Amino acid sequence: MNDSPGWATPGSSPSDGEQPQPPAQPADAPKWSAEQPPPGPGVPPDGVWGRTGPAAGQQPPPPQPGAGWGSYGPQQPPYGGQYGYPGGPGQWGQPPAAKPGVIPLRPLGVGEILDGAVATMRTHWRSVLPITVVVATVVQVLSMLVQKLLLEDLIISANQDDVSAEEVLNNLSTALPAGAAAQFLQFLGGIVVTAMLTMIFSRAVLGQHSSVAEAWRDARPQVLRLIGLTLLMAVGAVLMGVVLIVPAALAQSIGLLVLAFFVWFGLLVWLWVKFSLASPALMLERSTVFKAFARSSKLVKGSWWRIFGITLLTLIITALFAAIIVMPLQMLGFSLFGGGLDSMQDPAAQNAWGTLILSAVGLIIAQSVVMPIQSGVTVLLYVDQRIRREGLDLELARAAGVENYGTTGG
């Protein structure tokens, strides 16, 4: 796919090595991808998120003066410059951008991406909160029960000197499988939340509402692939750590071990950002796992530091918010049910029912807000990169019903 904005038309890109795609459908009945059936009532048009680029064997049409943000002509410098636009002869400034949904259809700033994520959660809370609250509640209740009923014996045994190794192993054999099952359920819950919120945010960009049932219907065909993508990333991170760190540990060299750890961590961060847009690419383009990795790599190329900075800022903001919610409730639990704040290191106080319940409530509230913000920022970064590289704003405007967008500068 050619990364030059301005003349991209729906279809596959010669650079991707794929077969030519059928021509784009009319604006009133576009398709998200060539393989999907025509959209039914309430289903977002498939032509919006399919790849854009020049059709195979065709030359790109010349850019037209006065086109939208997806293109620039002789009187329009690339993004970041000053623009002339109809309605203001002889005047320079940014052209007005259509805003059918939660973001304006133009390259986005950091504040607009964060604001778009929050605005979607606020405007579409009837769809967003039921998903996140239900998943967070199920996960935290299971985790609380595992810690109270299964891990408590293990914690107590570990703090007693007269407990035999056989008793500790028996406790481990009971507690660890249950803990692993709880973590697996948390993993699946996170996948479901990511998949459904991606669909809700994609509709919010077009100014469309989505019910929980509609979000699940749109996300369901790709959920198994999203699980595979997430597992592949996790397994790859572990294997990379084994390859780099284990030999250094066997060499019994502290300096080599520290160097290996920093190399592994640096590669992990680099690949994490490089493939950070694979999830929305997989869900919205209906692609395969490896094509989603390739799409993310292509979209991130040249913008790695920008995407890293926005993602890191989002993590810091959400972590601070979660701490503000969770820590007071945890301290309240220790004060009321654990004998005071001095008991925070006491395993018995940590596993008191009151402490566990208040901590779980805090985590449910925090995760119900944090998950949609993080998912929303990822989706909006994907949209922003496609607007910058592929002129996706033109397709989004047509799908949202914005008239004459891209021909009159509005």
Side-chain angles (χ1 to χ4, degrees):
M1 181 180 301
N2 194 301
D3 286 341
S4 300
W7 45 264
T9 57
S12 63
S13 167
S15 64
D16 290 327
E18 299 178 354
Q19 296 297 322
Q21 299 296 321
Q25 299 296 321
D28 58 346
K31 296 169 68 65
W32 289 62
S33 65
E35 294 81 6
Q36 301 297 320
V43 180
D46 284 349
V48 177
W49 304 109
R51 299 194 192 183
T52 57
Q58 296 183 3
Q59 295 296 323
Q64 298 296 324
W69 285 87
S71 60
Y72 50 87
Q75 299 178 355
Q76 292 179 311
Y79 300 136
Q82 296 296 313
Y83 292 70
Y85 59 94
Q91 299 179 8
W92 292 95
Q94 287 191 346
K99 189 178 179 181
V102 294
I103 59 170
L105 299 184
R106 55 170 170 76
L108 303 173
V110 178
E112 290 171 321
I113 291 175
L114 293 171
D115 180 69
V118 175
T120 302
M121 186 176 61
R122 184 175 62 246
T123 305
H124 303 272
W125 64 269
R126 290 182 178 86
S127 300
V128 172
L129 288 184
I131 297 171
T132 56
V133 169
V134 168
V135 171
T137 301
V138 171
V139 168
Q140 292 306 319
V141 168
L142 289 175
S143 298
M144 180 183 66
L145 293 176
V146 167
Q147 183 173 349
K148 178 62 180 178
L149 302 178
L150 298 176
L151 296 183
E152 185 175 34
D153 292 337
L154 178 62
I155 294 172
I156 294 175
S157 298
N159 286 274
Q160 292 179 355
D161 297 331
D162 57 347
V163 177
S164 66
E166 183 178 356
E167 290 175 329
V168 174
L169 290 176
N170 289 335
N171 290 334
L172 279 173
S173 63
T174 302
L176 292 184
Q183 291 298 317
F184 181 71
L185 289 175
Q186 183 172 357
F187 167 78
L188 291 181
I191 294 293
V192 171
V193 168
T194 299
M196 296 178 69
L197 290 182
T198 298
M199 297 305 173
I200 292 174
F201 274 92
S202 68
R203 289 171 178 260
V205 169
L206 302 175
Q208 300 175 357
H209 290 270
S210 178
S211 67
V212 174
E214 289 171 339
W216 173 244
R217 181 190 61 198
D218 295 340
R220 183 175 55 189
Q222 292 292 97
V223 168
L224 289 179
R225 287 179 175 176
L226 184 59
I227 293 174
L229 183 146
T230 307
L231 284 175
L232 192 59
M233 293 181 68
V235 171
V238 172
L239 291 178
M240 188 169 59
V242 170
V243 170
L244 292 173
I245 296 177
V246 170
L250 294 176
Q252 297 182 351
S253 172
I254 299 298
L256 188 59
L257 183 62
V258 172
L259 177 62
F261 174 80
F262 278 106
V263 171
W264 171 74
F265 183 76
L267 287 174
L268 199 63
V269 172
W270 178 69
L271 291 173
W272 168 59
V273 176
K274 183 181 178 68
F275 298 133
S276 61
L277 305 184
S279 173
L282 178 81
M283 298 301 300
L284 297 178
E285 297 180 20
R286 300 288 195 254
S287 65
T288 62
V289 171
F290 292 102
K291 286 183 179 179
F293 280 129
R295 282 289 285 154
S296 178
S297 177
K298 189 159 193 171
L299 291 172
V300 171
K301 185 178 180 180
S303 301
W304 190 96
W305 283 107
R306 179 175 181 272
I307 294 174
F308 169 74
I310 295 174
T311 306
L312 181 61
L313 177 63
T314 303
L315 289 176
I316 293 173
I317 292 174
T318 52
L320 289 174
F321 175 83
I324 291 172
I325 297 297
V326 175
M327 290 183 63
L329 289 174
Q330 286 182 333
M331 289 188 291
L332 180 63
F334 283 111
S335 298
L336 296 178
F337 306 101
L341 296 180
D342 294 336
S343 64
M344 293 182 68
Q345 301 299 322
D346 183 8
Q350 293 174 2
N351 284 274
W353 274 114
T355 304
L356 290 174
I357 290 174
L358 285 176
S359 297
V361 170
L363 288 169
I364 290 170
I365 296 173
Q367 290 181 356
S368 298
V369 177
V370 165
M371 285 191 291
I373 292 177
Q374 292 177 341
S375 297
V377 167
T378 301
V379 173
L380 295 181
L381 276 172
Y382 165 83
V383 174
D384 176 57
Q385 287 301 110
R386 290 199 59 184
I387 288 176
R388 292 171 181 270
R389 293 177 176 270
E390 302 170 359
L392 182 65
D393 56 322
L394 301 176
E395 291 296 324
L396 294 175
R398 294 189 190 104
V402 180
E403 297 183 358
N404 299 323
Y405 184 82
T407 59
T408 61

